[in-house]
Structures are given as C-alpha cells and as structure tokens.
Amino acid sequence: MTETHTYDVAVEWTGNLGSGTDGYRSFSRAHEVLATGKSPIAASSDPAFRGDPARWNPEELLVASVAQCHMLWYLHLCAVGGVTVVDYEDRARGTMTMDASGGGGRITEVVLRPEVTVAQASMADKARALHGDVQAVCFIARSVNFPIRHEPLIRVQ
C-alpha cells in the first residue's frame, strides 16, 4: 500500500496599500506564510531556508513556494490586466507519496485554493481566468516535476 503525507500552508497577502492592484506599483509584494501551530514567516518576493519539528520543514516550504510564486505572478497579471484585487488568501496542500520500499518519497501534487476578492463584479471572470495563465510564467511552477492544480474562489468586495 502506498503511503502519502500532506502539507497544508496558507499564504496571505498583506501588501494592499489602500488601492489594491489598481496599478503595477500601487501594491506591496508583502505576505505571510502560515501553517497551523507554527509562527508565521514574514515574506516578500524573495524568501530564503534545517530539522526542528516546531519549524517549517522543506516540504511545507516547497508548497508555500508554489503558492507564493502563484500569488505574486497572479497579482502582477491582475495589475497589468485591469483587475483590482483587494484581498488574496490561499490554503494550499501538497501531497508527498512515499516509495513502497520506505526509503524515500516525492511530492506528487500541489493543489492551490486561492480565495480572491476583487473590487468590481465585472472583474470576476477575468480574475478567475488569470489563474490559468500563471503556470506559464511562475518560476517555481516551471521548475517542479509534479502537477499543480488550482481551485480558485472569486469574491466581489
């Protein structure tokens, strides 16, 4: 029987400087990486990385990196595409499948569940569609060998 492990992280954007993403330079890339029972990691566009169970492990950080990269590119695409995002939160999950021999494993999937709030109802369809454009430009998504799925929820302010 194949064993799996999951790693749940959240990424919350804290960079709304008052007008959301109504312009490329009008928002900060600041965000927090969160997981239940652990201290938040204050992060931005360029974060950096040993083995203590009370701290983030590499699997969580990998999932967080996928979610962070998706969010940062998504906010960029929204800003240049005329979609004003006023809130963004993602509850991402990575799954690691262990080898049958018990000697190792690998991340086999990451699912992103971004909850995005936009300024106007007319922006909702484009906001949803832009999630599909991120995979082609996200550095992390382009670097991994496992599938990344996204299940966005779009809300209107």
Side-chain angles (χ1 to χ4, degrees), residues 66 69 73 134-146 148:
V66 170
C69 190
W73 272 106
V134 174
Q135 188 102 359
V137 291
C138 171
F139 310 131
I140 304 300
R142 293 172 48 118
S143 301
V144 299
N145 66 351
F146 51 80
I148 300 168

Side-chain angles (χ1 to χ4, degrees), residues 33-111:
V33 180
L34 310 160
T36 302
K38 298 181 182 176
S39 299
I41 296 172
S44 188
S45 294
D46 189 23
F49 346 126
R50 189 173 154 159
D52 180 339
R55 297 182 183 205
W56 290 80
N57 65 52
E59 294 80 8
E60 291 168 323
L61 288 172
L62 178 60
V63 174
S65 293
V66 170
Q68 287 173 269
C69 190
H70 182 93
M71 179 193 70
L72 293 165
W73 272 106
Y74 177 78
L75 294 173
H76 168 83
L77 294 175
C78 286
V80 299
V83 175
T84 302
V85 175
V86 296
D87 195 34
Y88 184 108
E89 184 176 318
D90 190 351
R91 304 257 179 241
R93 172 173 280 182
T95 301
M96 183 168 73
T97 302
M98 300 303 293
D99 294 342
S101 66
R106 68 182 195 90
I107 301 294
T108 52
E109 177 183 61
V110 169
V111 179

